[in-house]
Amino acid sequence: MSLQPCDSLWRASAPAAPTLNALDQDLDVDVAIVGGGFTGLSAALHLAKFGVSVALVEAAEVGFGGSGRNVGLANAGLWLEPDDLDRQLGAEAGRALYDALAVAPDYVYGLIEEYGIECEATRNGTLHCGVGKAGLTQLQRRCEQMQRRGAPVELLNTADAQARIGSEKFNSALFDPRAGTIQPLGYARGLAHAAVKEGAQLFDQSPVESITPEGEGWIVKTATGSLKAQRVILATNAYGEYGVKDQARKFVPIFYSQLATKPLTPEQLDVILPNKEGCWDTCTVMSSFRMDQQGRLVFGGMGGEKHYHASWASQRVKELWPVLQKVEWEFSWTGKIAYSEDHLPHCQQLQRGLFSVAGYSGRGIGPGTIMGKELAEWFTDRRDSLSAPMTTLRDIPLREVKRMFYEVGAHTYHVGQRTHVIG
């Protein structure tokens, strides 16, 4: 299988990863990790820091999957509204997960500072941008629920929201000062450097061919080597086809595409997101937008068809910000999100000593980092349980039909919006 890197802004601008090699030997470690994204790298870093022998194998390169392709919003919490979280898990478990992820940005930015990770860390908050009456109602509901749990969020009125976003197309915005933006691939590569510094062994270009029980532990085999471990963490999320195919059936993969402009002019930067918050809107087919530190506008939306996505994005950007009547895209890339049926992350203990963590539903930076840390703490008896649900998930029925439903819906929305804007 040929694994090609994506032509993304993040890959073009991220600092280099540590120099790694393919696994070409047979190693005996305490914990083996499959997948070099936020969860796997965080687990490797913390396990090594706690004195546990750990080895990680990545099918392509560190951050190849969703970790290196995402929007880069370091948010607190989950997509689910807090009250929905309590209804699904129960008040006590819901609050435990909410509290753990409420401080996720603190932990992410703390790691960035502790290990000197170069990832364009900007902590100016995020804006959830309201569209239409339904969008305003949703933000009012979210604001009330989050404030009731102690979150320092603020619902901006129309004038303040439009001034912060630089567009008249939004009627409100939920501002969360705890959050911010990062260069996601830079963060992933920085976690890899930190893990190596702490003593973890990392291997890239090493797709897993089999994971089989042996005695009290497991054997993780690649084409040229193997890892023998008491515990194995499967941390491939939406990219389970690169070694752990059966786990991919537990989640619906959703494509999400992004484009980045050439650096904007000082006059344009004075208007568009002058405070550099990361943003996403309340539309059913969500869009996201943010700036990088070189002044490029990064605009994204659901769907994987680049031709229609780029055409729609150009028109949508002009509609949102009339000052951008000539849009020049410099980069374009697509990644995958793993949606669970309940929109919650899950840690599944598939068999004794074999764990799978996935299902961030598009919010992987904070939860992935926290879940990796918690697994390391749990394995070393530093905590009694995980914040995320410990459940064995069933295969999602009609998974491919559901994936196509999301893809066709996004395609239809983009074509319809483009026709509406042009007409």
Side-chain angles (χ1 to χ4, degrees), residues 295-341:
R296 297 181 181 89
L297 174 65
V298 183
F299 192 85
M302 292 174 64
E305 294 188 46
K306 286 190 176 182
H307 171 71
Y308 285 105
H309 185 81
S311 181
W312 163 76
S314 296
Q315 294 298 333
R316 182 61 175 159
V317 163
K318 292 176 185 178
E319 181 187 49
L320 294 177
W321 299 286
V323 70
L324 287 180
Q325 283 308 298
K326 185 179 180 182
V327 182
E328 295 184 80
W329 300 116
E330 191 173 11
F331 298 95
S332 175
W333 67 101
T334 299
K336 286 191 296 184
I337 297 168
Y339 266 88
S340 57
E341 284 197 299

Side-chain angles (χ1 to χ4, degrees), residues 91 99 102 107 129 166 176 218 265 295 327 397 402 406 410:
D99 288 346
Y107 199 78
C129 305
D176 191 340
W218 296 87
T265 67
V327 182
K402 292 178 180 179
Y406 283 115

